[in-house]
Amino acid sequence: MRRYRKKPKIDHNKPEMKFVKSLGKGTYGSVDLFSYTKHDGSTLYNAVKISDSKHHNSIDRELKVLSKLRGRPGIVQPCGNSLLQETDSNGEKVYKMAIEYAAGGNLTDFIRVNRRLSDPVIKDFTRMILQGLVSVHEHGYVHCDLKPENLLLFPRHDQDARFYSYEIKISDFGLTIKAGEESVCWETKSPFVGTPLYMSPESVRDGSAVEKPLDLWSLGCIVLEMCVGKHPWLGSSVDDVKSRLLCGKAPEIPETVACDAREFVEKCFARKAEERGSASELLLHPFLNGERKVDGGGGGVRRRVGLRVRKPPSRFEDIAKKIFSSKSSKFKRVSNKPLKMKILPARPLRSNFVPIQ
């Protein structure tokens, strides 16, 4: 008697996952974009971090940290509670972690496209980064690798108001550790924690315990980069940066940087870590509160800065009739001359990331 294998049941409620494109590669793996088509026809997008077995501890640590920070402001959100274990085309074991997709890309590319950002945008981004750091530090963690590349942008668009803005969130917690602990990333050849251009003086001291102010120095480098459109320590080698930090030097702040922004960055660059204060205290710095409208109780909340888009008029003739319909004698004198108008639409900040349709 011939036996037939029973066909597996298809779960129509389970979303179908499809690869869309690669988003980038890093030290501990790669990130790809996947689409999920649900049974009702709707499509969702998630970024998936992929790591090999050699870096399993890093991605596992990241998921644990993100799970504890779930729902907190300024933190990228994980999708799921566990890692997905699979086998790649070479038969090697890989681990995957799904997180929310940032259609706006990261701050590194945003700065590269827009160069120097406007003061309102810099202040708004800085405020959101600090809100994320408050969440991280309140749980006793130190991020250890804060940099523009690890800050993701999420576009928020209000079609009715023709208004859009960006929400910025902290990602990549692969190096995150508990405050007061020694980083497992200390190495003989590169004795520092984090990325060289954004590392603090205490980051180059081999064997030192990692504390929360380390992230605030990195924040100062990020704010400085948003102000001038260039990396801190641009043109310097890793060894040069290390020696300058050990000599008590900080990245140079150009004279073009506004006074309140300069004071904020200098606060972050305090040589003694304890003089930088905390993320909560920096949220109250005049640099971030100079334009805030405060009520009688002192608890006013500043509205998030957005990028307002004004569409150009479909017919220039309508605008001309409205402007030149006055019976003023001044207009009569030139009424026999041809009228020329050039209307330029408002120019929003540019981004080279196009949202997936």
Side-chain angles (χ1 to χ4, degrees), residues 310-313 316 341-347:
R310 292 183 174 89
K311 298 181 180 179
F316 289 169
M341 296 178 58
K342 187 176 181 181
I343 299 179
L344 298 177
R347 184 181 180 186

Side-chain angles (χ1 to χ4, degrees), residues 53-67:
S53 56
K54 180 180 179 181
H55 300 111
H56 169 262
N57 291 338
S58 176
I59 194 170
D60 183 61
R61 183 191 310 117
E62 181 171 10
L63 179 60
K64 290 179 180 178
V65 174
L66 288 178
S67 297

Side-chain angles (χ1 to χ4, degrees), residues 178-289:
K178 282 286 186 178
E181 296 180 356
E182 292 185 9
S183 174
V184 297
C185 302
W186 293 114
E187 298 178 4
T188 304
K189 295 182 180 180
S190 55
F192 55 81
V193 179
T195 302
L197 292 178
Y198 306 93
M199 63 186 179
S200 64
E202 59 268 28
S203 298
V204 299
R205 299 169 190 161
D206 191 3
S208 298
V210 177
E211 299 294 346
K212 298 173 185 177
L214 179 149
D215 288 336
L216 302 183
W217 179 285
S218 302
L219 174 65
C221 294
I222 295 170
V223 174
L224 181 59
E225 186 169 342
M226 287 193 289
C227 290
V228 301
K230 299 179 181 179
H231 298 303
W233 303 118
L234 185 64
S236 301
S237 66
V238 175
D239 291 335
D240 289 339
V241 174
K242 179 184 173 183
S243 61
R244 292 181 185 182
L245 289 173
L246 291 175
C247 292
K249 296 182 180 180
E252 182 181 356
I253 306 175
E255 295 295 332
T256 55
V257 176
C259 181
D260 56 349
R262 173 183 294 274
E263 292 176 354
F264 181 90
V265 173
E266 288 176 345
K267 177 76 173 178
C268 295
F269 286 165
R271 184 65 184 176
K272 296 181 179 179
E274 60 272 14
E275 294 180 358
R276 298 172 205 158
S278 65
S280 299
E281 292 171 351
L282 285 179
L283 274 171
L284 302 177
H285 194 279
F287 169 60
L288 301 178
N289 294 274

